[in-house]
Amino acid sequence: LAPMRVLTDGLNMCSGRVEVLHNSTWGSVCGDHWGTEEANVVCRLLNCGEATSATGNATFGQGTGPVWVSDVRCEGSEAALDQCPAKPYGNNNCSHSQDASVTCSGPVPVRLVNGNNMCSGRVEVLHNSTWGSVCGDHWGTEEATVVCRLLNCGNGTSAIGNATFGQGTGPVWLSDVRCEGAETALDLCPAKPYGNTTCGHSQDIGVTCTGPHPMRLVDGDTMCSGRVEVFHNSVWGRVCGDDWDIADARVVCRQMSCGNAMSTGGGFSLGRGKGQTWLDKVKCSGDEKFLDQCRSQPWGHSNCVLGTDAAVVCSGPVPVRLVNGKNRCSGRVEIFHNSTWKSVCGDVWDSNAASIVCRQLMCGTILSISTLAKFGEGTGPIWSPDVRCNGTEAALDQCPTNPYRKYINCNHSRDSSVICSGPQPVRLANGDTICSGRVEIFHSSTWGSVCRDGWDTEDARVVCRQLSCGDPTLSIAPVSASQAIDQIWLMKVRCVGTENSLDQCPANPWGQHNCNHEDDVGVKCS
């Protein structure tokens, strides 16, 4: 599917000038023959409901790139715009004064204002370019759940219609909202027409959600270090480093299942992020489960002019790997402890611990375990604490242990192993579209490339199928070695073409190759 976007020149996220990505360049769509059927395809693809208008006269301004598509003729039921008949890309005599635009029915943007955290507050919706509140009549858990889910805030825990989070100052847009709770947006619930209400701001509705907002660490040396970013109102944004301390970092490390906070990172060394600053003056006690449960300025309220972005360095998880297996999700279990890879003593190994390893390595669930060196005996030290996992831990090093008891008499004949269901994640990097690029596979907590030695159409077919990208149109696409990552994981991949994932194909043991990144394989899928 050709990537498509509606630009921010519109009144909200569901209106604007239509643009498509072709040859790595965004370009507009000519408005000749542009109508409701074509606009409905765009709105549906963008999860924006149905088209309320479709214009071809640059209603939302003229584009600046090429005019890629013209004479589009959809029936209205197509899954994507590039499935509609049209002239070849760039083959037209249109100008930007004819740029096609759409306005879709929704979803209408929603936000929470004046809450105790980012997942609580007064409910406001955007209509006619103005934020307004929602009347609390007939408002209940079902309506609150729709709002919380839309904002990636979990489920609604309370819904109060007496301006608990303060009275709004704009219009009261909605009243008599009646959701079933399964709707994907608030404007899909029945309600009175916008602005048709006798409510006052003393009835403004507020909600409290379970949270948390999604969070990620960016530009760090490991997956457990980096600059802190949070996801709010469908946008990733920064956290200001003003007053950021180890108690705040502790909450982040816990929420990310990354062990203990080692330091607050030093934001300048990681650079400064771009875009919105969502959080400022964060004040955690250190015991909160999620960052959005900590006290802070209201979201988006920041005077972080010179501010260093908040950052953390967490202790873990300790790396785990599988060795000598038949594929990348089976083998002898080894854990990196005190700067050394160690096998795991079978006396402490059970299905609870094995399930954590499969999950930590993104290898699915356990199929079988062994405590008798099924995949060969290791040669290094043996990790043999009195470890007792319950199976819910995010990493093996988070299992409780008894430091006063160790299985000191273990030997390699009792090395632990596991066979997981797989598969190892695969992605395409640096391509022209989401379905083209350098093939990379995730193993031992690191992304690595694949050597083209032995690579053919059947191997590419497995990758395209695994990524739901159709069939290969080019099984060995050119890639740039300068953009490659450090690790090369696979060489001499030999798929028959029917495998469900790349790690089910025979190949050299992971990391064993004589390739360099000039040999990295790339594919293009349909």
Side-chain angles (χ1 to χ4, degrees):
L1 303 180
M4 180 175 60
R5 65 182 180 186
V6 175
L7 295 186
T8 54
D9 292 339
L11 298 177
N12 55 45
M13 63 179 177
C14 288
S15 65
R17 182 176 62 255
V18 181
E19 295 196 349
V20 296
L21 183 68
H22 179 65
N23 285 350
S24 302
T25 302
W26 287 103
S28 54
V29 177
C30 181
D32 56 356
H33 300 294
W34 186 261
T36 302
E37 292 80 5
E38 291 74 27
N40 274 333
V41 174
V42 172
C43 293
R44 184 169 58 252
L45 181 60
L46 294 173
N47 294 314
C48 278
E50 299 295 324
T52 58
S53 74
T55 59
N57 57 358
T59 300
F60 293 103
Q62 298 186 17
T64 57
V67 179
W68 279 134
V69 181
S70 68
D71 199 19
V72 183
R73 296 177 184 268
C74 302
E75 295 180 357
S77 59
E78 294 85 354
L81 196 63
D82 59 359
Q83 294 181 5
C84 303
K87 288 184 178 180
Y89 281 101
N91 184 6
N92 63 78
N93 57 3
C94 292
S95 68
H96 283 299
S97 64
Q98 297 168 270
D99 283 347
S101 303
V102 302
T103 299
C104 309
S105 60
V108 168
V110 175
R111 68 182 183 183
L112 298 179
V113 180
N114 290 345
N116 298 323
N117 54 52
M118 292 170 55
C119 286
S120 65
R122 183 176 66 253
V123 181
E124 294 190 350
V125 297
L126 184 67
H127 179 65
N128 284 349
S129 304
T130 302
W131 287 101
S133 55
V134 178
C135 180
D137 57 354
H138 300 296
W139 187 275
T141 303
E142 293 80 4
E143 291 74 25
T145 296
V146 173
V147 170
C148 293
R149 184 170 57 246
L150 180 61
L151 294 175
N152 294 304
C153 275
N155 297 316
T157 59
S158 71
I160 307 172
N162 58 0
T164 300
F165 295 101
Q167 297 186 17
T169 56
V172 179
W173 279 133
L174 289 178
S175 67
D176 199 18
V177 181
R178 298 177 183 266
C179 303
E180 294 181 355
E183 295 84 354
T184 56
L186 192 62
D187 59 352
L188 296 177
C189 303
K192 289 182 178 180
Y194 281 99
N196 186 3
T197 176
T198 58
C199 291
H201 285 298
S202 62
Q203 297 169 270
D204 283 350
I205 190 67
V207 303
T208 300
C209 310
T210 57
H213 270 57
M215 183 169 58
R216 66 183 182 186
L217 300 179
V218 180
D219 296 332
D221 296 329
T222 68
M223 62 180 179
C224 286
S225 65
R227 189 176 66 253
V228 182
E229 294 187 352
V230 293
F231 192 72
H232 180 65
N233 280 356
S234 302
V235 176
W236 285 103
R238 301 177 296 147
V239 178
C240 183
D242 291 349
D243 300 324
W244 186 259
D245 60 23
I246 198 67
D248 308 321
R250 189 177 301 124
V251 175
V252 170
C253 293
R254 181 186 305 114
Q255 183 174 345
M256 298 292 293
S257 298
C258 274
N260 299 317
M262 307 297 291
S263 76
T264 55
F268 278 130
S269 64
L270 296 171
R272 184 173 181 178
K274 299 178 181 179
Q276 177 73 49
T277 299
W278 280 135
L279 287 180
D280 195 359
K281 306 292 184 184
V282 177
K283 289 289 185 182
C284 302
S285 68
D287 298 323
E288 296 86 353
K289 291 184 178 181
F290 310 117
L291 189 65
D292 58 9
Q293 293 179 353
C294 301
R295 292 183 293 113
S296 69
Q297 297 272 67
W299 64 265
H301 290 200
S302 173
N303 57 0
C304 200
V305 178
L306 302 175
T308 303
D309 288 359
V312 300
V313 176
C314 309
S315 63
V318 169
V320 174
R321 68 183 183 184
L322 300 178
V323 180
N324 291 344
K326 295 180 179 179
N327 56 46
R328 306 308 176 271
C329 288
S330 64
R332 182 176 66 250
V333 181
E334 294 187 350
I335 187 168
F336 193 70
H337 181 242
N338 287 345
S339 302
T340 303
W341 285 105
K342 301 178 180 180
S343 55
V344 178
C345 178
D347 294 344
V348 301
W349 192 246
D350 58 18
S351 59
N352 286 340
S355 66
I356 296 169
V357 169
C358 292
R359 184 169 62 249
Q360 185 175 348
L361 293 176
M362 297 187 180
C363 276
T365 58
I366 58 172
L367 298 179
S368 66
I369 66 172
S370 173
T371 58
L372 298 175
K374 180 176 181 177
F375 292 98
E377 297 184 5
T379 57
I382 300 174
W383 189 64
S384 56
D386 182 17
V387 61
R388 292 291 181 263
C389 305
N390 61 33
T392 62
E393 295 86 356
L396 196 61
D397 62 344
Q398 293 183 9
C399 299
T401 60
N402 182 352
Y404 302 105
R405 181 185 176 193
K406 293 185 177 181
Y407 293 90
I408 59 175
N409 296 321
C410 212
N411 58 60
H412 284 296
S413 65
R414 288 181 278 171
D415 280 350
S416 301
S417 63
V418 63
I419 298 176
C420 308
S421 61
Q424 292 278 44
V426 171
R427 69 183 181 186
L428 299 178
N430 297 113
D432 295 335
T433 69
I434 59 174
C435 287
S436 67
R438 182 177 60 253
V439 180
E440 296 181 356
I441 189 167
F442 193 73
H443 178 67
S444 289
S445 304
T446 302
W447 288 100
S449 58
V450 178
C451 179
R452 69 173 62 196
D453 189 357
W455 188 265
D456 59 19
T457 301
E458 304 310 318
D459 307 318
R461 182 170 292 115
V462 173
V463 170
C464 292
R465 181 188 307 115
Q466 185 174 349
L467 293 173
S468 299
C469 276
D471 296 317
T473 58
L474 191 60
S475 60
I476 303 181
V479 295
S480 172
S482 64
Q483 296 173 329
I485 53 182
D486 293 336
Q487 184 66 53
I488 299 175
W489 277 135
L490 290 180
M491 176 182 174
K492 292 190 180 299
V493 179
R494 300 177 296 279
C495 304
V496 299
T498 58
E499 295 87 352
N500 292 321
S501 60
L502 192 62
D503 60 1
Q504 293 179 358
C505 302
N508 281 7
W510 63 268
Q512 293 188 15
H513 62 86
N514 56 6
C515 301
N516 54 46
H517 283 300
E518 282 75 13
D519 303 312
D520 285 348
V521 71
V523 303
K524 287 189 176 182
C525 310
S526 62

